[in-house]
C-alpha cells in the first residue's frame, strides 16, 4: 500500500534550505518541508504547499470566527464544530440506562461522558464489597471492552458477556450488590435465571420495507433466539498503530469508517419492551396539559432574567426593521411569548399580521389571503400565489404610506418549509414597507435558504434562547408518539363501521376479537383468509368466499384492514390499529349493541 | 393560523419613528437625533460611493456588450437581402456573460445593463428568470408580456385597449410575436417624422429584440433548446439577440445544449470583473480613503472579509455588513457624535454636554493618555471641561491626520510586500491592512521575513518600487511627506549614479546563474562552500549598502506611521471594533446555540446547581437537556420505554436523592408528562422522528454528537 514518491528538488530549493544566512525562515517553508517528508513516507494525497497554506488559512479563519466575548447573550461559541457534528461509536443498546443510573447515582457530582469507561464506572460504587472480586471483574471488563472494541462486536454480545461476568459474583455477594447496582442493571441481574427472557428482549428491526416490518421482525426474533450471540460479519478492525493515531487524516478516515460501519447493516438492536407492558394508561392531551401545569417550571427566575435581556433589545429590533433588515430569532426554547410581548408592547398602533407557522393547516396562500383581504381590503380571487404576490407588491409600491409588520412563529414548520413557500415569503419580505420578524427552531432550518433567498430575506440574526417550553408549538403535533390517544383512529373506526351493514360489522368484529386474543404473540402474522372464511361461515355472516372478498375489499378501501401474503403464499388479514384502541373499540361496540 | 391586527390610531412619520427608536436607549438621548442623522447621511454617502464604484467597474463590460449588440444586427438594418442570405445559417447572435458565483449580486448588473440598452439601442428588452419559466409556454408568455409592455412605455398610451386585448387573447407563438414586431417597428417608423423624433431617433430603424436569461444554469434544458430552435427559424424576420447570464463557466453552455442546438448560436464571451477584485476596489474606496470619518477595526474587518471569502463571495453582503457596522457604532457609542467630518468637528466638540465629557474621560484610551501627562495637565483634563474639549479636538484632528499618513505609508509598504516571493504579508492590500491594524506589524515574524526578502531585491525592481512610492506619497493629501519624498528621490538618483559607476555586480549575477543549473551533489557542495567563503570575505558592495539603506528607511517609515489604530488616543470614537455583535447578526450559528443550550444550560441559566465540568451535565438540568443527553447514548433507534425509565431514574434521583424511589416500578404521571413534553420538543427541534420500524420506537436524526 505504501509507495515511495520521488520528487525532483532543484538546487535553488536545496540552497534555500541549507544556506542559513539567507535567513528566510518563513513559517510556510517549514510547513512545506514537513509535508514533503510525509509524502515520502506515506502515500497520502498529494499535499502540496498550497494545501498547507489552506490549512493555515483555515486555522486563521476559525480563530477569527472563534473570537468570543464572555457576554452571555452571545452564542456558546466555545464549542467547536467538531463537537457538534462529531461521530460516535455505534450500537449502544444499554448505554442510556447506564448513563441514567450514573446520573442518578451521583446526584451532586458530575458525570464525565467518556463512554468507553462507563461499564467500569457503574461497577465502581460497589467496590467496597469485595475488593479482590471487583478488581478481577474490572480487569475482565477491560479485557472484554478491548476485545469488543477490537472486533467491533455488537453491543448485545458484549452485554451478555458482561452479564456473565456480573452474575458470577452475584450469587455469592448478592446483598451488597443489590443495594448499590444501578437500577437498570439490578433489574436484569436480580433474576439470573431469566437469562433467556432478557435475551429475547432484544431483537432487531429492519430499516427498509416498512410495510413488511412485522414479518421481518418475526424472522429476526426467531433468528435472534436461535443464535443469541451471533456476531455480524466482523468489519475491519480499526488500525492499531497507536503512534500514528494522532494523525488527523487517519482519525478522519476512522470516523468515516465508523459511520459506514454503523449504517452498513439495516438492523438495529434495541430492546423489545413496549409502553403497553408498562401497564400505564396513556395520557391524552388534556390530562397532559393539566399535569404539566401542575409541575413547576424549573429555573423560572433564571428564565425570566433571560427573557428580560431579550426584551431590552426590542427597540433595536424596531430600528433594524425600519432600516430594511428583517429579523430572525433562533435558540432553544419557545420564542412565542417573546414575540407576543414584542407585539403588544411596540406594535399596538401599527398594522401587523401574526402567523402561527406551527398551525398544521397553515399555507402560504392563507398568509397571502389575509394580507390581500384584510390588510388591503381587496375582494377578489387570484389564479396563483404568484399573481397574488404581484398584486401585493404593486399595491405596496403604489402607496408608500402602507406598512405591515409580519410576525411568523416557526418559519421552519412543516407547512412553510417548502421551497415555493419560502420563495414567496422571501419575496414578500423583500418589500421595503413589509417588516418581517420570524423565529426558527429546527436544527436544520438554515438549510431552507439558498443565497438568493437569503439575499431577499436580508436577515439579521438574533439569538434568543429562552428555555421556555414549546407549549403551543407541540400541542398541534398529532404524531405525538408517546401519548397517542388513539381517539382519532377510534372515531374513524366507529364512523366507518356505522355506515356498514350489520353483517359487515360482524365480520370486522370477528377479526378484531381474534386479533385481540393473539395480542400476546409478537409474531402474530394475522388471520389467514381460509380460517377467517371458515369462522365467518360458522357465524352465518357470509355464504360464499366471494361475498367475504367483496366485504374485505371495502374494508381495505377504508384502510380498516391490511392484507399480506405470508411465506407460504397464504393471505393474512390484520387490523393496523394498536391493541388498546382495538379494545376500546370493542367495548364501545358492546355498549351500542 | 393568521391574524391581522389593525389599529385605529394614525401613525407618525417613518423617519421620526426611526429616530425615536434610535434614541430609545435610556442613556444619552439628548443628541441621539443628531447622531442618527449623522449616521444616515454617512450611510447615504457610502451607498452612493459604492454604487459609483460598481458602475465604474461594470462600465467596460457594458460598453463591450453594447458594441456587440449594435454590431450583431447591423446587416439587418442595411440590406435585407444580404441579411437573409447570411442568415441561412440561422445563427442567433448570443452574448454569454460570465458573472461569478454569487447570483443575487447579478441583479444590479442586469439592471444597469437593461437601463443602458433602453437608452441606447432598443426598447425591446425582456429579462427572464428560470423560476418563471418551467415550460416553453410560460417562457413565451412571459417574453411577450414584457415586450408588449415596453411597447406601451415607448409609444403613447393612446392605443392601450388594443394592447390589453392582444395581451389576453393573443396566442403566444412566434408568429404573433413577429406580427407584433412588424407593427411596432412600422408604427415607430411613421411616427418619427411627426412627433416622436427626439425620443425615438436614438434607436435604429428596426431595433433588435434582446432576451436576457438571467440565470442560465437553472433553466430546464428542454425549454432552452426549444426556444433556441424555434426562434432560429424566425431569425430572418425578427432580429433576436440572446444574453445568457452565467454563474459558473462558459462550458456550461455546451453541457446544457447539444451540438445541434448550440450550433444555432453565434456566441461571444464577456467576462465581468471577478468579485474579489470588486471587493478590493470597494475596500480601497471605502476603507482606505479619508473621505469618511468612520473606520473599521481589525476584528470587524476580518469577520467581514471572512464571510465574503468563506461563505458567499457577495460584495453586496459585504456592504450590508458595513452598513450594519455604521449603524451599530452610532447606536452603541454615544461619543460617535464626534465621528464626523473635520469641518463640523469644532462645533460639535464645543457643544458637548457634561455627561459626554464624562464619557470621554471614561474611554480606556483616553485614560491611558491622561496617565502619561504631567500632573497639572492631568488635573486640568479631569476637571475642566473646556480644556478637555480643546484637547479632544486636537486629539481627534491628530487621529484624522494619522489615518491619512497611515493609508499612504500602507500603500507604499504594499508596493514592497506584494512583489516578494510567497507574500509573507499577504498579496492583497487588505491583508496588509489587517496585519497592521492587529498589532505592531514590525514585531511580527512575517514582517521580519519580508524585510529580509526585500533586502535581496534586485535593482530594477527596487527602482520601480521607489518610483511608485514617490507617486503614492505625492498624490496623498498628507503634508508631512515632503521630506520623505525628497529622501526617496535622493535614493533614486543614487541608484542612477550607481549604474554608471559600477559594473562589478555582473560577476555576482553570473555566479548566481551558475547555481541555477543542475549539478550533482558534489558540485553543489563545492559551490556552496565557495559561496560561503566569498560571502564571509567579501565586503558589501555599494549597491548592497544602498539597498540596506532603502529598506531601513522604509522600515523606519513603517515604525513611525503604521501604529495600530487602537494604540491611538480616542480611537473608540472613529473605529468600530465590536466584532462579536456583527458576527452574531450576520454569521450566526443556530445549531451551536442549540448545542450549547442543551449540553451546558449553565451558559444561559446562571444557577449554581447547573454548574458542572466540560462535557457532562448535572442531573438537575432542565428536562429537555436530560432527555437530549440520554438520547445521545442510543443508536439509530430509541426505545421509548427505556428512555422513559432512564429519564425517570434521573429525575427522581435529582428530586429525592435519598429516598429509595426506584423501588416503585410505576413511573409517576407528572414525570411521564414531563418526559412526553421533552420528547416532543426534541421532535420539534429535529433530533428525532417517529418511526414505524418497531413499536414504541423513535428514530434518531443526528449522528453522534456527544
Amino acid at each position: 500500500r505504501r509507495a515511495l514518491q520521488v520528487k525532483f528538488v532543484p538546487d535553488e530549493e536545496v540552497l534555500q534550505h541549507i544556506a542559513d544566512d539567507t535567513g528566510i525562515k518563513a513559517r510556510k517553508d517549514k510547513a512545506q518541508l514537513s509535508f514533503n517528508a510525509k509524502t515520502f513516507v506515506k502515500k497520502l494525497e498529494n499535499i502540496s504547499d498550497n494545501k498547507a497554506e489552506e490549512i493555515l488559512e483555515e486555522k486563521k479563519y476559525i480563530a477569527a470566527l472563534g473570537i468570543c466575548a464572555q457576554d452571555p447573550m452571545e452564542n456558546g461559541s466555545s464549542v467547536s464544530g467538531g463537537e457538534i457534528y462529531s461521530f460516535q461509536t455505534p450500537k449502544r443498546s444499554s448505554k442510556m440506562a447506564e448513563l441514567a443510573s450514573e446520573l442518578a447515582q451521583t446526584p451532586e457530582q458530575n458525570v464525565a461522558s467518556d463512554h468507553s469507561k462507563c461499564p467500569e464506572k457503574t461497577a465502581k460504587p460497589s467496590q467496597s464489597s469485595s475488593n479482590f472480586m471487583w478488581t478481577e471483574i474490572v480487569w475482565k471488563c477491560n479485557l472484554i471492552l478491548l476485545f469488543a472494541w477490537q472486533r467491533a462486536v455488537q453491543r448485545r454480545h458484549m452485554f451478555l458477556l458482561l452479564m456473565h461476568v456480573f452474575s458470577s459474583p452475584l450469587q455469592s455477594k448478592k446483598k451488597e450488590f443489590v443495594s448499590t447496582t444501578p437500577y437498570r442493571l439490578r433489574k436484569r441481574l436480580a433474576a439470573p435465571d431469566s437469562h433467556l427472557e432478557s435475551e429475547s428482549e432484544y431483537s432487531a428491526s429492519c430499516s427498509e420495507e416498512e410495510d413488511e416490518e412485522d414479518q421481518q421482525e418475526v424472522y429476526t426474533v426467531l433468528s435472534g433466539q436461535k443464535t443469541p450471540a451471533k456476531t455480524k460479519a466482523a468489519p475491519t478492525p480499526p488500525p492499531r498503530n497507536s503512534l500514528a493515531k494522532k494523525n488527523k487524516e487517519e482519525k478522519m478516515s476512522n470516523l468515516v469508517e465508523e459511520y459506514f460501519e454503523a449504517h452498513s447493516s439495516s438492523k438495529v438492536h434495541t430492546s423489545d419492551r413496549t409502553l403497553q407492558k408498562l401497564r400505564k394508561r396513556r395520557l391524552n392531551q388534556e390530562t397532559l396539559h393539566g399535569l404539566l401545569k401542575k409541575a413547576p417550571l424549573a429555573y423560572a427566575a433564571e428564565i425570566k432574567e433571560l427573557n428580560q435581556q431579550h426584551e431590552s433589545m426590542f427597540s433595536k429590533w424596531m430600528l433594524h426593521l425600519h432600516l430594511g433588515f428583517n429579523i430572525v430569532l433562533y435558540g432553544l426554547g419557545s420564542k412565542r411569548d417573546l414575540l407576543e410581548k414584542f407585539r403588544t408592547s411596540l406594535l399596538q398602533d401599527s398594522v401587523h399580521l401574526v402567523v402561527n407557522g406551527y398551525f398544521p393547516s397553515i399555507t402560504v396562500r392563507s398568509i397571502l389571503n389575509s394580507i390581500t383581504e384584510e390588510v388591503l381590503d381587496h375582494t377578489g380571487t387570484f389564479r396563483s400565489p404568484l399573481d397574488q404576490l404581484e398584486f401585493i407588491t404593486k399595491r405596496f409600491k403604489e402607496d408608500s404610506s402602507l406598512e405591515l409588520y409580519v410576525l411568523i412563529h416557526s418559519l421552519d414548520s412543516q407547512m412553510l418549509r417548502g421551497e415555493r413557500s419560502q420563495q414567496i415569503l422571501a419575496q414578500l419580505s423583500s418589500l421595503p414597507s413589509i417588516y418581517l420578524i420570524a423565529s426558527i427552531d429546527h436544527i436544520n432550518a438554515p438549510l431552507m435558504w439558498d443565497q438568493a433567498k437569503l439575499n431577499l430575506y436580508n436577515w439579521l440574526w438574533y439569538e434568543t434562547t429562552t428555555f421556555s417550553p414549546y407549549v403551543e408549538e407541540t400541542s398541534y403535533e398529532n404524531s405525538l408518539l408517546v401519548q397517542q390517544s388513539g381517539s382519532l383512529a377510534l372515531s374513524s373506526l366507529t364512523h366507518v363501521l356505522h355506515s356498514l351493514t350489520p353483517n359487515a360489522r360482524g365480520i370486522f368484529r370477528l377479526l378484531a376479537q381474534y386479533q385481540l386474543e393473539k395480542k400476546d404473540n409478537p409474531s402474530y402474522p394475522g388471520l389467514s383468509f381460509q380460517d377467517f372464511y371458515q369462522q365467518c361461515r360458522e357465524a352465518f355472516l357470509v355464504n360464499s368466499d366471494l361475498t367475504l372478498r367483496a366485504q374485505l375489499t371495502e374494508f381495505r378501501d377504508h384502510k380498516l384492514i391490511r392484507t399480506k401474503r405470508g411465506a407460504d403464499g397464504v393471505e393474512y388479514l390484520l387490523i393496523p390499529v394498536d391493541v388498546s384502541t382495538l379494545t376500546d373499540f370493542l367495548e364501545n361496540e358492546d355498549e351500542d349493541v | 393560523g393568521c391574524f391581522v391586527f389593525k389599529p385605529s390610531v394614525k401613525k407618525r412619520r417613518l423617519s421620526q419613528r426611526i429616530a425615536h427608536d434610535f434614541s430609545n436607549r435610556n442613556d444619552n438621548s439628548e443628541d441621539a437625533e443628531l447622531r442618527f442623522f449623522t449616521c444616515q447621511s454617512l450611510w447615504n454617502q457610502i451607498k452612493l460611493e459604492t454604487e459609483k464604484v460598481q458602475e465604474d467597474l461594470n462600465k467596460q463590460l457594458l460598453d463591450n456588450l453594447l458594441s456587440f449588440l449594435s454590431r450583431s444586427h447591423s446587416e439587418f438594418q442595411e440590406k435585407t437581402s444580404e441579411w437573409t442570405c447570411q442568415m441561412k445559417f440561422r445563427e442567433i447572435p448570443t452574448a454569454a456573460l460570465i458573472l461569478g458565483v454569487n447570483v443575487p449580486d447579478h441583479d444590479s448588473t442586469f439592471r444597469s445593463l437593461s437601463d443602458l440598452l433602453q437608452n441606447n439601442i432598443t426598447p425591446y428588452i425582456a429579462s427572464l428568470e428560470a423560476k418563471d419559466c418551467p415550460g416553453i409556454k410560460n417562457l413565451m408568455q412571459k417574453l411577450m408580456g414584457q415586450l408588449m409592455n415596453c411597447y406601451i412605455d415607448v409609444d403613447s398610451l393612446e392605443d392601450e385597449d388594443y394592447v390589453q386585448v392582444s395581451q389576453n387573447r393573443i396566442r403566444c407563438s412566434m408568429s404573433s410575436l413577429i406580427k407584433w414586431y412588424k407593427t411596432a417597428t412600422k408604427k415607430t417608423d411613421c411616427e418619427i417624422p411627426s412627433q416622436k423624433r427626439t425620443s425615438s431617433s436614438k434607436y435604429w430603424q428596426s431595433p433588435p429584440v434582446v432576451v436576457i436569461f438571467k440565470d442560465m444554469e437553472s433553466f430546464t434544458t428542454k425549454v432552452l433548446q426549444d426556444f433556441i430552435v424555434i426562434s432560429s427559424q424566425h431569425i430572418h424576420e425578427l432580429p433576436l439577440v440572446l444574453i445568457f447570464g452565467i454563474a459558473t463557466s462558459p462550458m456550461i453552455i455546451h453541457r446544457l445544449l447539444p451540438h445541434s442546438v448550440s450550433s444555432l448560436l453565434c456566441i461571444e464571451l464577456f467576462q465581468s470583473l471577478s468579485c474579489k477584485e470588486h471587493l478590493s476596489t470597494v475596500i480601497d474606496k471605502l476603507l482606505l480613503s479619508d473621505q469618511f470619518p468612520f473606520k473599521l477595526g481589525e476584528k470587524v474587518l476580518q469577520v467581514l472579509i471572512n464571510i465574503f471569502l468563506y461563505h458567499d463571495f457577495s460584495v453586496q453582503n459585504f456592504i450590508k455588513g458595513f452598513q450594519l457596522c455604521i449603524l451599530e457604532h452610532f447606536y452603541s457609542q454615544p461619543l460617535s457624535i464626534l465621528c464626523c467630518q473635520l469641518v463640523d468637528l469644532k462645533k460639535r466638540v464645543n457643544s458637548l454636554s457634561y455627561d459626554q465629557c464624562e464619557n470621554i474621560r471614561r474611554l480606556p484610551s483616553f485614560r491611558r493618555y491622561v496617565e502619561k501627562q504631567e500632573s497639572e495637565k492631568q488635573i486640568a483634563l479631569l476637571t475642566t471641561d473646556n480644556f478637555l474639549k480643546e484637547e479632544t479636538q486636537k486629539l481627534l484632528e491628530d487621529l484624522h491626520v494619522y489615518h491619512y499618513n497611515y493609508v499612504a505609508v500602507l500603500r507604499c509598504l504594499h508596493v514592497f510586500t506584494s512583489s516578494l516571493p510567497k507574500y509573507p504579508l499577504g498579496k492583497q492590500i487588505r491583508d496588509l491592512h489587517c496585519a497592521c491594524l492587529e498589532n505592531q506589524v514590525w514585531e511580527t515574524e512575517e514582517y521580519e521575513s519580508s524585510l529580509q526578502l526585500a533586502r535581496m531585491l534586485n535593482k530594477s525592481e527596487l527602482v520601480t518600487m521607489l518610483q511608485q512610492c514617490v507617486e503614492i506619497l505625492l498624490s496623498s493629501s498628507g503634508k508631512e511627506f515632503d521630506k520623505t519624498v525628497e529622501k526617496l528621490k535622493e535614493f533614486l538618483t543614487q541608484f542612477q549614479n550607481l549604474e554608471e559607476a559600477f559594473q562589478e555586480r555582473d560577476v555576482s549575477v553570473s555566479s548566481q546563474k551558475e547555481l541555477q543549473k543542475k549539478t550533482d551533489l558534489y558540485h553543489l557542495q563545492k559551490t556552496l562552500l565557495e559561496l560561503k567563503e566569498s560571502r564571509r570575505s567579501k565586503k558589501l558592495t555599494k549597491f548592497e549598502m544602498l539597498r540596506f539603506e532603502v529598506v531601513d528607511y522604509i522600515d523606519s517609515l513603517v515604525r513611525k506611521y503604521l501604529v495600530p489604530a487602537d494604540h491611538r488616543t480616542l480611537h473608540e470614537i472613529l473605529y468600530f471594533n465590536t466584532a462579536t455583535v456583527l458576527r452574531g447578526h450576520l454569521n450566526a450559528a443556530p445549531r451551536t446555540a442549540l448545542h450549547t443550550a442543551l449540553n451546558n444550560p449553565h451558559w444561559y441559566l446562571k444557577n449554581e446547581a447547573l454548574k458542572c465540568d466540560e462535557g457532562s451535565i448535572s442531573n438537575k438540568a432542565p428536562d429537555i437537556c436530560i432527555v437530549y443527553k440520554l438520547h445521545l447514548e442510543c443508536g439509530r433507534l430509541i426505545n421509548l420505554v427505556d428512555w422513559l425509565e432512564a429519564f425517570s431514574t434521573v429525575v427522581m434521583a435529582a428530586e429525592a436523592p435519598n429516598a429509595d424511589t426506584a423501588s416503585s416500578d410505576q413511573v409517576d404521571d407528572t414525570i411521564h408528562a414531563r418526559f412526553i413534553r421533552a420528547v416532543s420538543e426534541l421532535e420539534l427541534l429535529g433530533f428525532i422522528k417517529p418511526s414505524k420500524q418497531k413499536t414504541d420506537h423513535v428514530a434518531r436524526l443526528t449522528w453522534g454528537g456527544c
Side-chain angles (χ1 to χ4, degrees), chain B residues 113 149 182 216 229 245 425 429-430 445 515 532 645 686:
Chain B
L113 172 66
N149 265 334
K182 275 186 181 148
M216 200 244 189
V229 171
L425 277 169
I429 195 166
R430 56 166 188 261
E445 205 179 316
L515 266 177
K532 217 173 175 183
E645 225 161 72

Side-chain angles (χ1 to χ4, degrees), chain A residues 315 318-319 322-323 349 403 405 435, chain B residues 10-25 29 32-34 36-37 40:
Chain A
S315 69
M318 275 307 249
L319 176 70
H322 283 148
L323 289 175
D349 23 331
E403 280 184 326
Y405 295 84
Y435 312 117
Chain B
K10 274 282 145 205
K11 307 156 273 183
R12 281 169 293 168
R13 289 214 37 236
L14 180 67
S15 59
Q16 280 171 351
R17 265 187 304 148
I18 301 176
H20 177 70
D21 293 330
F22 202 87
S23 59
N24 229 350
R25 274 171 64 92
S29 56
E33 206 160 314
L34 182 59
F36 174 67
F37 286 114
Q40 283 301 83

Side-chain angles (χ1 to χ4, degrees), chain B residues 226 309 322 334 347 474 586 680:
Chain B
D226 285 354
L309 288 180
F322 193 64
K347 213 173 72 197
L474 281 177
L586 292 181
S680 46

Side-chain angles (χ1 to χ4, degrees), chain A residues 309-323 325-329 335 338-343 346 405 407 435-438 460-464, chain B residues 21 331 585:
Chain A
Q309 277 175 356
H310 299 317
E311 279 159 27
S312 66
M313 305 291 273
F314 279 173
S315 69
K316 203 170 167 191
W317 293 4
M318 275 307 249
L319 176 70
H320 283 157
L321 285 176
H322 283 148
L323 289 175
F325 295 103
N326 292 310
I327 286 178
V328 61
L329 309 177
K335 290 159 277 288
L338 193 69
L339 278 177
E340 266 309 286
K341 187 131 193 209
F342 173 70
R343 188 181 77 77
L346 285 177
Y405 295 84
L407 279 82
Y435 312 117
L436 175 66
I437 175 164
L460 281 192
W461 299 73
Y462 274 89
E463 188 191 334
T464 53
Chain B
D21 293 330
Y331 182 76
H585 286 329

Side-chain angles (χ1 to χ4, degrees), chain A residues 440-504:
Chain A
I440 56 168
D441 297 302
H442 199 278
I443 42 171
N444 294 329
L447 298 182
M448 292 188 295
W449 303 315
D450 55 14
Q451 282 297 339
K453 287 197 201 77
L454 280 178
N455 203 53
L456 285 173
Y457 270 124
N458 202 14
W459 288 130
L460 281 192
W461 299 73
Y462 274 89
E463 188 191 334
T464 53
T465 302
T466 60
F467 271 100
S468 13
Y470 291 98
V471 180
E472 292 285 322
E473 285 90 332
T474 53
S475 66
Y476 285 110
E477 250 177 305
N478 44 16
S479 65
L480 256 191
L481 19 114
V482 190
Q483 104 303 352
Q484 255 173 12
S485 57
S487 60
L488 208 69
L490 186 63
S491 73
S492 65
L493 260 187
T494 31
H495 270 102
V496 172
L497 278 185
H498 269 279
S499 62
L500 294 177
T501 59
N503 263 9

